[in-house]
Amino acid sequence: SQTIHQWPATLVQPVGSPLSLECTVEGTSNPNLYWYRQAAGRGLQLLFYSVGIGQISSEVPQNLSASRPQDRQFILSSKKLLLSDSGFYLCAWRPPLGSSSEQYFGPGTRLTVT
Amino acid sequence: AQSVAQPEDQVNVAEGNPLTVKCTYSVSGNPYLFWYVQYPNRGLQFLLKYITGDNLVKGSYGFEAEFNKSQTSFHLKKPSALVSDSALYFCAVRETDSWGKLQFGAGTQVVVTP
């Protein structure tokens, strides 16, 4: 069966520090991968998605970047964090084929920028 | 562009009573619709989806949803709510591109009281 992992689970970082959040998927190949941010309210904002190694699409301009160095690894990064980067970051995957498939979410990373 | 609306920020229901969480959508073409549930500080869990076929879709944990094309709605229902159903519920529609991106509603907080 497929599983998705995210780490760290929680993170407290000062403004201006770098960021690296990692997401890995097991039990599948060539998944579509997604990064979302959930702010203090509740809405989910899609940040990046990837359909293959090295292929990253950005949904909104921001202080963050994403990379996919391996087939089942998706990394969210920042060179200098802002207070507004605080939130709950969720990674998700779905199979590459089959347009009807749902997305499966990881447990999330709670980021607090101080 | 696709969109979904969840008109209620919060739904309160007594345990044992029927639960309904509303969702309306706007899409060009045939809709792919999804419901997810989120417990505090957790990732989203998939409940059910409508792709085609029967308008009444059955999902996990006793939930079902009714697709109504004329009213462009996809309401989530449960005949008898449990206290453990208290959570944040999201409706989503899949965008028509081929990357499986989802457009989420703002979420509805469900509170089930004993």
Side-chain angles (χ1 to χ4, degrees), chain A residues 1 8 15 17 23-24 28 37 39 44 56 59-60 72 74-75 86-87 91 104 109 111 114:
Chain A
S1 64
V15 168
S17 64
C23 170
T24 59
T28 188
R37 176 169 57 204
L44 286 159
I56 308 295
E59 285 292 290
V60 292
R72 289 168 288 181
F74 204 21
I75 296 173
S86 293
C91 180
Y104 300 95
T109 294
L111 172 65
T114 60

Side-chain angles (χ1 to χ4, degrees), chain A:
Chain A
S1 64
Q2 301 88 4
T3 56
I4 179 169
H5 304 280
Q6 288 186 245
W7 61 87
T10 61
L11 190 60
V12 179
Q13 292 284 91
V15 168
S17 64
L19 174 73
S20 181
L21 304 182
E22 189 166 344
C23 170
T24 59
V25 182
E26 296 177 353
T28 188
S29 297
N30 196 29
N32 290 357
L33 296 170
Y34 310 84
W35 275 114
Y36 292 87
R37 176 169 57 204
Q38 187 175 28
R42 58 180 63 161
L44 286 159
Q45 180 185 37
L46 178 63
L47 302 175
F48 301 95
Y49 66 95
S50 171
V51 299
I53 296 175
Q55 301 179 58
I56 308 295
S57 296
S58 175
E59 285 292 290
V60 292
Q62 56 205 321
N63 185 42
L64 302 169
S65 62
S67 62
R68 185 170 176 175
Q70 300 180 43
D71 180 43
R72 289 168 288 181
Q73 185 184 34
F74 204 21
I75 296 173
L76 184 69
S77 303
S78 174
K79 293 182 179 179
K80 289 185 178 182
L81 283 168
L82 306 172
L83 284 174
S84 58
D85 292 324
S86 293
F88 193 49
Y89 288 83
L90 290 161
C91 180
W93 77 274
R94 69 181 287 272
L97 301 175
S99 60
S100 64
S101 178
E102 58 273 20
Q103 292 182 16
Y104 300 95
F105 284 78
T109 294
R110 173 75 60 190
L111 172 65
T112 303
V113 182
T114 60

Side-chain angles (χ1 to χ4, degrees), chain B residues 3-98:
Chain B
S3 67
V4 291
Q6 294 181 243
E8 302 156 316
D9 283 343
Q10 183 165 315
V11 169
N12 298 300
V13 62
E15 187 174 31
N17 283 359
L19 170 64
T20 299
V21 186
K22 296 179 180 178
C23 172
T24 59
Y25 67 89
S26 174
V27 299
S28 54
N30 295 321
Y32 289 178
L33 297 159
F34 304 82
W35 275 103
Y36 286 83
V37 61
Q38 184 182 31
Y39 296 96
N41 295 308
R42 305 288 293 275
L44 276 66
Q45 295 179 31
F46 169 73
L47 284 177
L48 51 80
K49 65 183 176 185
Y50 173 82
I51 305 301
T52 187
D54 291 340
N55 291 340
L56 186 62
V57 179
K58 294 189 182 296
S60 306
Y61 313 119
F63 283 94
E64 59 188 26
E66 186 171 8
F67 172 70
N68 188 316
K69 188 172 183 178
S70 62
Q71 297 185 9
T72 62
S73 67
F74 189 55
H75 300 333
L76 181 70
K77 300 180 180 182
K78 187 172 184 180
S80 178
L82 301 173
V83 172
S84 57
D85 294 327
S86 297
L88 187 56
Y89 290 80
F90 289 98
C91 181
V93 61
R94 190 183 78 84
E95 298 189 8
T96 54
D97 66 24
S98 59

